[in-house]
Amino acid sequence: MIENQKIRPAQVVGPLGEPLTLDSLPPADTTRWVVRRKAEVVAAVNGGLLTVDEACARYNLTLEEFAGWQRAVDRSGMHGLRVTRIQYYKSLYERQQKY
């Protein structure tokens, strides 16, 4: 999405194929980030529903934290967002880059 563009979609396709709107996003006071919620925020930003700055401000995230979520989704899909598997997917990605 062009940053200066004021037109935003009313909904985007969520990570599980469901329609995602501003009202259906996780609440702004979310503190427990499960894989689905992280993926919904990433999908909202990728689809143009929110900007990166708006998402970081709304959910009190650092730019690095959000970028990590986005990178994990790009590399490994929703599975990459699992905290318990970060090291596994990181080493898998690094091995794939060598060959």
Side-chain angles (χ1 to χ4, degrees):
M1 185 172 114
I2 300 172
E3 289 297 325
N4 294 333
Q5 186 177 355
K6 299 293 180 196
I7 300 171
R8 294 186 186 203
Q11 65 182 20
V12 296
V13 178
L16 301 175
E18 78 286 0
L20 197 60
T21 64
L22 285 175
D23 294 332
S24 65
L25 286 173
D29 61 349
T30 299
T31 56
R32 186 169 181 269
W33 286 100
V34 295
V35 171
R36 180 186 50 81
R37 291 183 188 140
K38 292 177 187 178
E40 286 175 347
V41 173
V42 171
V45 171
N46 289 345
L49 200 57
L50 290 173
T51 65
V52 173
D53 294 333
E54 290 170 340
C56 290
R58 180 176 178 159
Y59 296 110
N60 196 25
L61 302 170
T62 63
L63 185 58
E64 292 79 14
E65 186 174 17
F66 178 78
W69 293 358
Q70 215 168 24
R71 196 175 319 109
V73 169
D74 290 344
R75 289 180 178 174
S76 306
M78 284 181 62
H79 295 291
L81 293 170
R82 293 181 62 189
V83 174
T84 57
R85 302 293 286 181
I86 287 175
Q87 290 300 326
Y88 170 76
Y89 287 112
K90 183 178 176 184
S91 65
L92 180 66
Y93 177 76
E94 289 170 351
R95 280 183 288 178
Q96 289 174 345
Q97 293 302 309
K98 289 181 183 178
Y99 304 106

